[in-house]
Amino acid sequence: MINRKFCICKNKLKEKINFGNLPLINNYSSKKNLIKYPIVISQCKKCFLIQLKYSVPDKLLFPNNYSYLSGNSKEKINNFRSLFNKITKLSKKDNPQILDIGSNDGSFLELVKKKYTKVLGIEPTNAAKISINKGIDTIKKPLNFKLAKKIVSKYSRFDFIVASNFFAQTNNLIEILKSVKLILNKEGLLIVEVQYLYDVLFQKGFDSFHHEHIAYYTASSIMKLLKKYKLYVVDAERLKVHGGMLRVYISLYNKPVTKKLKKILSKEKDENIIGRIKNLNSFRIKFNNKLNKLLLDLKKKGKEVYGMGAAPRACVMLNSCRLTKNEIGLVGEVPQSLKCNKYVPGTDIMVKDENKIITDKPDYVIILAWHLKKIIINLLLKKKYKGNFIIPLPKLKIINNKKLL
């Protein structure tokens, strides 16, 4: 574990809010893995950035056999299309050079290559092999300043650098920022997507706090942090993807910010946000008790409950509530997922092809990927599932299947 006493902006951290112990949320294995690490939330005294007090080294967070693949998420692909369309509108060149940091299986650059040819991905896990097999130029290494110098020497500087979720997931952000400043064209843009903390709090999304999210951004905190390293947020927009994301546009020059960014900033009060996180933790504890009671009552009535959606938040919720296969028989997931036939980290609950929900006919399905509840419910109804649905968050409720038909 890395004990972080200082923020990325090099100021001291304060507060220690204990969200319990969790496994590494994408460490799916055919063997039960019950190793857990503490989730303790802190806040920077200066930029007010919310972050983990204790973090796990990147090599453990993102091993070669990392199970998440962007291409398995239709929601993610749709967001990539939105991002690509934005770049197309912003580009002043017919064939701009585009770099994707943390490119995973190359799903974003696969879209880009349909129009632009000068693309490069950086991905340290085995997902890079999938990208390479798609014909996408991909470097299977983590980004650092040494690699950045080699990239500039071979490819020259890039017009757009994209980092979707990556800024929240690395212990080496200072090194990344230094590298980006070297790689980015003087008139280029760095486009960063992060989960938006105010959306997390509004939806009571305690299941978004885990080791892969080392930092939890607002528009104000990311602006203050980047300014420290002479990178400037000039525009931003809120996205509905993944329960609420923030997309920010960053320049090497300090330019006037857009009205859209000013509007987002006007609604933020980061100095009060740590209190809201304390309240969220209290809610988490009460929620755990409520969900356990509901599942116990259903068990006593002889009802079978399966889960649906092996998203990161599913792993957090199952572990936070200390659920086992006695309460949740299995978790359904898309058939092509690398998580199928493996255990949800920290539990004895197995992930299976989602079609097993249709063949086994459980009485209830709890939508663990609750931010996709409409999509998942419609999917299961089309496949003739006739049981009921449990929606855990923002408010725990049961939806009767008969009312949906």
Side-chain angles (χ1 to χ4, degrees), residues 73-98:
S73 170
K74 290 181 180 179
E75 185 189 33
K76 191 74 174 176
I77 297 300
N78 288 334
N79 183 60
F80 284 158
R81 288 195 183 97
S82 162
L83 177 57
F84 174 52
N85 289 337
K86 191 74 177 184
I87 288 175
T88 301
K89 291 177 182 177
L90 290 170
S91 180
K92 296 176 182 178
K93 296 181 178 179
D94 292 333
N95 192 18
Q97 194 155 283
I98 300 170

Side-chain angles (χ1 to χ4, degrees), residues 93 157-161 180-189 252-253:
K93 296 181 178 179
R157 288 179 168 82
F158 284 75
D159 302 296
F160 293 94
I161 298 177
V180 163
K181 288 180 70 176
L182 178 65
I183 298 169
L184 188 62
N185 191 317
K186 286 185 178 181
E187 299 300 327
L189 277 178
L252 293 172
Y253 299 101

Side-chain angles (χ1 to χ4, degrees), residues 1-5 52-58 171-172:
M1 295 292 291
I2 302 168
N3 184 350
R4 302 171 66 245
K5 296 180 181 180
L52 297 187
K53 169 68 175 168
Y54 306 104
S55 58
V56 178
D58 285 10
N171 284 289
N172 303 310

Side-chain angles (χ1 to χ4, degrees), residues 4-47:
R4 302 171 66 245
K5 296 180 181 180
F6 295 92
C7 177
I8 304 157
C9 74
K10 298 185 179 178
N11 285 284
K12 285 188 177 181
L13 298 177
K14 64 177 182 178
E15 305 289 348
K16 291 181 183 179
I17 306 172
N18 192 340
F19 271 64
N21 297 330
L22 291 175
L24 304 184
I25 49 94
N26 273 304
N27 192 12
Y28 284 75
S29 173
S30 55
K31 296 180 180 179
K32 296 174 191 174
N33 187 341
L34 305 178
I35 299 173
K36 300 185 181 184
Y37 306 88
I39 295 289
V40 178
I41 308 299
S42 293
Q43 185 179 39
C44 175
K45 289 183 177 181
K46 189 80 173 178
C47 72

Side-chain angles (χ1 to χ4, degrees), residues 8 37 43 55 95 164 277 299 310 323 338 343 399:
I8 304 157
Y37 306 88
Q43 185 179 39
S55 58
N95 192 18
S164 185
I277 291 174
K299 190 76 175 178
L323 298 174
L338 297 177
Y343 289 101
I399 297 178

Side-chain angles (χ1 to χ4, degrees), residues 48-63:
F48 298 120
L49 177 66
I50 297 297
Q51 54 208 283
L52 297 187
K53 169 68 175 168
Y54 306 104
S55 58
V56 178
D58 285 10
K59 287 184 179 180
L60 287 178
L61 281 175
F62 306 106

Side-chain angles (χ1 to χ4, degrees), residues 162-221:
V162 172
S164 185
N165 271 326
F166 181 80
F167 265 45
Q169 297 179 329
T170 178
N171 284 289
N172 303 310
L173 189 57
I174 296 174
E175 179 87 359
I176 299 300
L177 295 178
K178 186 180 176 183
S179 303
V180 163
K181 288 180 70 176
L182 178 65
I183 298 169
L184 188 62
N185 191 317
K186 286 185 178 181
E187 299 300 327
L189 277 178
L190 166 64
I191 304 176
V192 172
E193 292 182 344
V194 289
Q195 195 164 27
Y196 189 45
L197 182 53
Y198 283 98
D199 283 331
V200 171
L201 294 172
F202 177 76
Q203 296 174 95
K204 297 182 169 61
F206 69 85
D207 51 354
S208 286
F209 288 90
H210 51 74
H211 300 98
E212 281 193 16
H213 285 174
I214 297 164
Y216 301 81
Y217 291 99
T218 65
S220 177
S221 62

